[in-house]
Amino acid sequence: MVALDINENGLSSGAWLSKLKGATGPLVGLLALCVFLSFSTDTFLSVRNGLNILDQITVLGIMAVGMTFVILIGGIDLSVGSALALAMMVMGWTANVAGLPLPVGIVFALIASGISGLIVGLLVTQFRVPAFIATLAMMSAARGVANMITDGQQIVGFPDWFMMLAIDRHFGVLTATVFLMLAVVLAAWLFLHFRSEGRMLYAVGGNPEVARLAGINVPLVTIGVYIVSSVLAGLAGIVLAARLDSVQPSSGLGYELDTIAAVVIGGTSLSGGAGGIGGTLIGVLIIGVLRNGLNLLNVSPFLQQVIIGIVIVLAVGAETIRRRRA
């Protein structure tokens, strides 16, 4: 049986302690990494470098929120990188080729990415296609459509106000894109902790059959989660377009792996039912800080991939050991 462990004010004290404990390991790892890089480089602790790290993790951070929802229900989404590219190309074509206002292009981009999530959700719930296969198919299909929109060509040049979203630092500190990422993270955290719909994700991930018997519409929850994941991937694509001042159908290649890695490093269980946004944010920061530090240390990009792979294995292994002892 799955116990939701809920009281009138949201999660019970036991659940709060459990979630805090689940994020403690990644947090300790992040702090240790920061201490190591502080002694290893002269510029890591500078304010400018810290702000650069925040700018660099905006795309990954937004995508990781959606992936957290998917993994919490025991699913997986390999199509987020392609959904990102699809949204970028739809926005670029609508604004620069069709001549519509850019805000309209952004809306169409989010709708397009949402449709890809809807199709995945229907494949998983109505046609019983395993999530791995359904999202793998959508990864290929969405990437193909993204290439078809402009015959594989990139689109360059957007209004200055759009590019400034990723450049202009409000109050001399954070860009609008960083504020957007933080708003998405905060909204997701509040949703999981203070909304019954958010707690349903844990129930579905813990045991779908028990969740169904408890009155939860499991197919509807599943479809909704995949739609949200794809829409957030599309939103991340818009943020990336603002940073690059261009869109191209090859964008987002490999992002699905980085996104899954951030969520897993943050302590969310791949089997579903355990984890949270706090841990995911720490996982995103670990990847961002690790890549930034390795660049400062002039480590080869190829070796960086090896190191990040090792970190993922260690994080999953530590989480497995912790759960066995729990």
Side-chain angles (χ1 to χ4, degrees):
M1 296 292 289
V2 176
L4 294 181
D5 202 12
I6 304 169
N7 59 23
E8 294 180 354
N9 297 320
L11 296 180
S12 72
S13 58
W16 280 103
L17 291 174
S18 174
K19 290 183 178 299
L20 179 62
K21 182 179 178 182
T24 300
L27 179 59
V28 171
L30 176 61
L31 294 176
L33 181 60
C34 291
V35 170
F36 170 76
L37 292 174
S38 299
F39 287 103
S40 302
T41 66
D42 297 329
T43 57
F44 177 76
L45 278 183
S46 66
V47 174
R48 181 176 180 180
N49 188 60
L51 294 178
N52 286 338
I53 292 175
L54 287 178
D55 289 336
Q56 292 163 5
I57 66 172
T58 51
V59 173
L60 178 61
I62 293 172
M63 295 176 69
V65 170
M67 188 65 74
T68 301
F69 289 170
V70 172
I71 294 180
L72 278 177
I73 65 169
I76 198 73
D77 193 348
L78 301 178
S79 66
V80 289
S82 297
L84 176 148
L86 175 62
M88 292 177 71
M89 298 313 297
V90 169
M91 182 193 73
W93 185 89
T94 303
N96 285 30
V97 179
L100 296 176
L102 183 57
V104 175
I106 292 175
V107 172
F108 277 118
L110 296 179
I111 292 175
S113 59
I115 290 174
S116 69
L118 173 62
I119 294 173
V120 168
L122 291 174
L123 288 174
V124 171
T125 59
Q126 303 304 312
F127 296 93
R128 306 300 181 186
V129 178
F132 180 88
I133 301 300
T135 57
L136 184 64
M138 182 53 65
M139 179 176 70
S140 178
R143 182 74 61 182
V145 173
N147 277 280
M148 290 170 60
I149 291 174
T150 59
D151 197 25
Q153 302 299 312
Q154 68 173 350
I155 297 176
V156 180
F158 292 100
D160 290 340
W161 66 263
F162 181 66
M163 185 175 61
M164 294 305 295
L165 294 176
I167 297 177
D168 188 23
R169 296 193 182 279
H170 298 275
F171 311 108
V173 183
L174 301 180
T175 62
T177 53
V178 173
F179 276 119
L180 177 61
M181 180 196 71
L182 295 177
V184 169
V185 169
L186 178 59
W189 185 84
L190 293 173
F191 173 75
L192 287 179
H193 286 84
F194 297 104
R195 296 289 300 178
S196 60
E197 294 86 351
R199 297 192 290 273
M200 287 179 185
L201 304 190
Y202 290 97
V204 172
N207 191 317
E209 180 59 21
V210 173
R212 184 186 67 81
L213 294 175
I216 297 174
N217 190 330
V218 176
L220 183 61
V221 170
T222 302
I223 293 173
V225 163
Y226 279 105
I227 292 176
V228 169
S229 178
S230 293
V231 169
L232 288 178
L235 182 61
I238 294 167
V239 170
L240 183 59
R243 292 190 61 192
L244 300 177
D245 193 32
S246 66
V247 296
Q248 51 189 359
S250 61
S251 297
L253 286 173
Y255 277 34
E256 58 278 345
L257 302 180
D258 285 350
T259 307
I260 294 171
V263 176
V264 172
I265 290 174
T268 299
S269 173
L270 283 171
S271 60
I277 296 299
T280 293
L281 180 59
I282 295 173
V284 170
L285 286 170
I286 287 176
I287 291 182
V289 168
L290 184 59
R291 284 192 168 149
N292 175 266
L294 293 175
N295 286 330
L296 293 177
L297 293 172
N298 294 319
V299 176
S300 164
F302 306 113
L303 182 56
Q304 289 186 29
Q305 295 177 353
V306 175
I307 294 174
I308 292 176
I310 294 173
V311 170
I312 295 172
V313 171
L314 292 176
V316 174
E319 179 66 13
T320 301
I321 293 174
R322 186 187 71 82
R323 292 186 182 281
R324 286 178 178 175
R325 292 180 177 178

